Each structure stands twice: as structure tokens, then as C-alpha cells.
Amino acid sequence: MADSQTKKLFQVWKGNNKFFCQGRLIFGPDVGSLYLSSFLIAGPALAFCVKMFLKGKDDSKFYPIAAVGLVLTILDLIFLYMTSGRDPGIVPRNSKPPEPEEAFDVTNPSMEWVLGRHPQLKIPRVKNVYVNGYPVKVKFCDTCLLYRPPRASHCSICNNCVQKFDHHCPWVGQCIGLRNYRFFYLFISTATILCLYVHVFSWISLVHERKGIWKAMSRDVLSVILIVYCFVAVWFVGGLTAFHFYLMSTNQTTYENFRYRYDKKENPYNKGMLKNFTEVFFSGIPPSLNDFQATVSEQAEEPVESIHHPFAEHKSSKEKIDIEMGDRNINDEDYPLPKILRDLEYDYDEDDMKPKGEEEAIINPFFIEEERNQILHNSLAGDEFNDEKSYQRNGSYGGALEPIEQSTSDPRLDHSASV
């Protein structure tokens, strides 16, 4: 019997997340991209601040410029880490599928066996709920074994269902959802302001030189690099900021905007622009549904149940057992045939199945592929059967029925009478 082990929830977490500080910080599996994002922000910004500080020795008005740039850089990094290192709104998964609301008629032995093998057939794939008077469809998640809340979706990268799922951001290394969307928007908007700030004051630094703009550019290469770098970056972060400003004003997520197109139908979540912004920036952030530091009891070697629709993909029976964790030690004997199939009799007349002249020709009752093709070929070649001699074939469809002399050769290899 499996031994019971006591562990923290983050140690037995079934998602693809990575945890730090004993489960206090949760990141996505691509957390490594956070280092690149930090370098792309802090590197140019700190270089700009150092340059402005050095210029302040000649002109003191550059000191405030350096200070503001440093504050914007620190704020942007803080918002980046607050977005990446917190629970975005993960919905706790179930260990067992919910009980079906409608009972199925399982009086048929075959139906009883099928529902036993595939319990997900009992569970409706979609349910209707009402949000602000509008019907909204919620789907059943085969991995988390639950009906996703409205606006939730399953992230294939983190392998979790996330409340108010917006998207998975590779630059942040985390899903963007209900509990970190506010910080994500503050991150990209601050990055936009920082790019514009560095771009503008780098130009001012060049213009401030009295030897002419071209000579100043040849001598101040760092300012030129910062101008080009910020000009390119602002199109990305600035465009992203503008797009999410539109999404917030209409109370949409990126996923909903690309999937449902609310401009073509009524958005049940739109409360008006003012209330939509209030909901994002001034409403309380709901607490996490997961206590990653909680103590849980884990059964060693106990596979995690999950449900996979048997007709969705062409997978083997072993792969269908557990789509999430997999069960490597399952034999086909664990799933015997149903009683209705086991009771069938396969006592075929061997005289009819074996070739003429052979005494011990055995035909597999389940017909392997090669034998089935040969027997099918023979069945197509015959047109009528003689009452006195079974499976006698006519020479042609148009000719008279004549008995065929017994031959020691295998009639299945005789293709002279084939169509």
C-alpha cells in the first residue's frame, strides 16, 4: 500500500509553475525570461541615469532628470516582479470529477461498461450560467476536473485554469489574470513612459551641446543608441499599453477579444468606462484560492485522475487513462471485455473455414488483418452457393452453377474466378 507523506502544497503542485521562498513566490515555467526583461529595462535606463548624473556636474539641472529616470526605472521593475511573482488567480483543481447532474440509463450491459471505462461521458461538456442577465457558456476542464468559472480559461503553458484569464506573457513569465492584471498594466504603461522619457531627454542632451547636433552625435554615441533603442521599444510597449487601455474601457480580456469579438454581440461584463476602470484599479484584489504553504497528505505512487474525451484524438487505451500524469504500469488485463462480449460464442464450423484438403487449418475468430483480407477476397469472388457443397464458387457471374472438383490447392489463392 502506498505510504502517506506530508508535504507542502507547492511541493506536490500539479501545474508547471516554479516556486521560490517556500511557496511564497509563484512563477510560470518560463521564469527565465524575467532576467532578460529586467536587463532590457534596467540596462538602458541605468546607463541614461548615469549619463545625466555626470552631466549634472557641469549643469545642475540634469540631476533632477537623472533622479526621475531612476524612480521610473525602479517603479517599472517593481511592477514587473509584482506581476510575475504572484498567483494570477489559479483555480484549484479537483482530484475527482464532479457527479453528473443527470443520470444515464445504464440498464444496457454495453452502456454500463462504456460509462465505467469513460466516466467523462456522463458529464456535460458545456453548462449555461447567467451573468448580468446574459447566458454564458462555461466549459468542463478535462485536466482540472471542474467547470471553469466565467471568464476563466486553461493555460496550456502553466497547466492551470486561471480566473479572468487574459493571456500568458512570455516577457513576464507568468499568466495574466484576475489578481495581477492591474500590475501588468502598470508595468507596461510605466515602461512606455520610461521609453518616452529617455528618448526625449537624450535628444535634449544632444541639442544642449553647442558644437552642433552632428558633432554632438559623433561624440555622444550613448545618447544616439538610447534614442534608437527607445524609439523601437516604444512601439511595442506603447502599442500594448494602448490596446489594453481599450480592453479595460470595454471590460474585455485579450482572450475574449480574439475569441468572442464582443464588438459583434453584447458584452455581459461591460459596466461603462468609468466603472470598468474602477474595477481594475480601485477594487480590492481577491485573495488567492490556493494556500501554497498549507500541509497536504500525498499518497505515494498514486496517479492523478484526469478525464480525456475518448473520441477527441486517436490515442491508445493506455494514453487515454490519464492525459495529465500518465500511468505507466497499466496492463490491458485491467480492462476486460464486458460481459455481453465475453458471452459470445466463437465456435465456428472449421470445415467451412479451412481450405479443402487441409485437416488442421485454424482461423483466428478475431480475424487478423491478412486473413481477413484473404477471406474478404474469397467472399467477393463467389456469387451463389451449392446446397450440397458449401462455399463452392461459380466460374463467372454469367455462367451456370457447376460443382467444382475438389482440389488439394488452397482455394483462397485461386484468383481465376475473382471479379
Side-chain angles (χ1 to χ4, degrees):
M1 191 171 179
D3 296 332
S4 178
Q5 300 178 354
T6 301
K7 294 185 177 180
K8 300 291 186 180
L9 178 60
F10 74 91
Q11 294 176 319
V12 296
W13 187 250
K14 304 304 178 183
N16 299 331
N17 304 89
K18 295 183 178 180
F19 296 88
F20 296 91
C21 299
Q22 294 296 311
R24 293 178 176 87
L25 298 177
I26 175 174
F27 298 90
D30 48 351
V31 63
S33 61
L34 191 61
Y35 297 105
L36 176 61
S37 300
S38 301
F39 174 77
L40 293 176
I41 295 170
L46 292 178
F48 168 80
C49 293
V50 171
K51 181 176 179 55
M52 292 297 107
F53 180 80
L54 294 176
K55 277 184 170 292
K57 295 181 179 180
D58 299 330
D59 191 346
S60 60
K61 63 184 178 183
F62 282 99
Y63 284 126
I65 296 175
V68 173
L70 183 61
V71 170
L72 287 175
T73 303
I74 294 175
L75 281 176
D76 200 30
L77 292 175
I78 289 175
F79 292 141
L80 171 63
Y81 298 138
M82 291 183 70
T83 303
S84 180
R86 67 187 293 122
D87 178 6
I90 299 174
V91 182
R93 64 182 65 194
N94 293 329
S95 58
K96 296 180 180 179
E99 292 295 330
E101 297 179 357
E102 299 180 0
F104 279 67
D105 182 13
V106 294
T107 56
N108 188 316
S110 296
M111 191 62 182
E112 183 179 1
W113 177 70
V114 170
L115 294 180
R117 286 287 304 275
H118 305 291
Q120 72 276 17
L121 297 181
K122 304 178 185 179
I123 302 173
R125 309 297 298 175
V126 178
K127 290 175 61 177
N128 285 328
V129 297
Y130 285 88
V131 177
N132 298 326
Y134 295 93
V136 176
K137 295 183 181 297
V138 293
K139 297 181 180 179
F140 182 80
C141 180
D142 293 327
T143 303
C144 299
L145 303 180
L146 51 82
Y147 283 101
R148 300 167 187 160
R151 312 193 82 174
S153 184
H154 191 89
C155 175
S156 59
I157 299 176
C158 293
N159 196 26
N160 297 311
C161 282
V162 179
Q163 294 175 297
K164 198 179 179 181
F165 178 77
D166 190 89
H167 69 288
H168 183 95
C169 181
W171 298 101
V172 172
Q174 180 65 283
C175 291
I176 308 302
L178 177 65
R179 301 188 68 251
N180 64 351
Y181 182 81
R182 175 187 304 177
F183 304 108
F184 171 75
Y185 186 79
L186 291 174
F187 160 64
I188 59 175
S189 58
T190 306
T192 303
I193 296 173
L194 180 61
C195 285
L196 293 174
Y197 185 85
V198 173
H199 181 81
V200 170
F201 281 99
S202 294
W203 271 114
I204 293 176
S205 175
L206 291 176
V207 174
H208 188 262
E209 298 290 337
R210 299 179 180 178
K211 298 180 180 180
I213 186 67
W214 296 110
K215 289 185 178 180
M217 292 176 65
S218 62
R219 297 182 58 183
D220 193 354
V221 180
L222 178 59
S223 294
V224 176
I225 294 175
L226 291 175
I227 289 172
V228 175
Y229 178 84
C230 292
F231 177 79
V232 174
V234 77
W235 288 102
F236 291 97
V237 293
L240 197 60
T241 302
F243 175 65
H244 280 276
F245 182 86
Y246 160 73
L247 293 180
M248 286 190 300
S249 64
T250 55
N251 206 332
Q252 299 182 61
T253 65
T254 303
Y255 181 81
E256 291 170 348
N257 181 262
F258 284 94
R259 180 85 181 258
Y260 299 114
R261 296 290 183 181
Y262 282 136
D263 55 346
K264 297 181 180 179
K265 60 181 180 179
E266 192 70 23
N267 181 3
Y269 307 103
N270 192 358
K271 304 174 183 178
M273 182 178 292
L274 183 60
K275 291 184 177 180
N276 292 338
F277 281 106
T278 302
E279 179 182 318
V280 174
F281 293 108
F282 302 104
S283 62
I285 298 177
S288 174
L289 300 177
N290 303 277
D291 184 5
F292 297 108
Q293 294 179 293
T295 302
V296 296
S297 179
E298 180 196 27
Q299 293 294 330
E301 301 181 359
E302 181 178 352
V304 176
E305 279 190 63
S306 69
I307 284 181
H308 185 59
H309 200 284
F311 309 113
E313 300 179 16
H314 296 286
K315 292 182 177 290
S316 66
S317 58
K318 295 182 180 180
E319 292 173 328
K320 292 176 184 177
I321 294 170
D322 195 337
I323 192 65
E324 178 184 357
M325 298 297 295
D327 195 335
R328 306 292 188 265
N329 302 318
I330 292 182
N331 299 321
D332 292 336
E333 298 175 356
D334 296 336
Y335 295 94
L337 289 172
K339 187 175 184 304
I340 192 173
L341 297 182
R342 294 198 302 268
D343 292 341
L344 292 179
E345 296 182 359
Y346 300 103
D347 297 325
Y348 295 102
D349 187 1
E350 294 185 359
D351 293 335
D352 295 340
M353 300 296 294
K354 65 185 180 181
K356 299 296 182 180
E358 296 184 10
E359 297 180 355
E360 297 184 356
I362 300 177
I363 303 299
N364 188 340
F366 291 100
F367 300 113
I368 64 174
E369 189 68 22
E370 181 180 358
E371 293 174 334
R372 184 182 64 177
N373 292 336
Q374 293 178 354
I375 295 175
L376 179 62
H377 173 75
N378 296 334
S379 64
L380 292 175
D383 177 60
E384 298 180 2
F385 297 95
N386 193 293
D387 293 334
E388 296 179 357
K389 293 185 178 182
S390 299
Y391 297 96
Q392 295 279 339
R393 295 194 301 256
N394 188 11
S396 64
Y397 281 141
L401 183 65
E402 297 178 0
I404 297 178
E405 296 180 359
Q406 251 184 344
S407 173
T408 58
S409 62
D410 189 349
R412 291 179 294 179
L413 301 179
D414 182 14
H415 302 288
S416 61
S418 61
V419 180

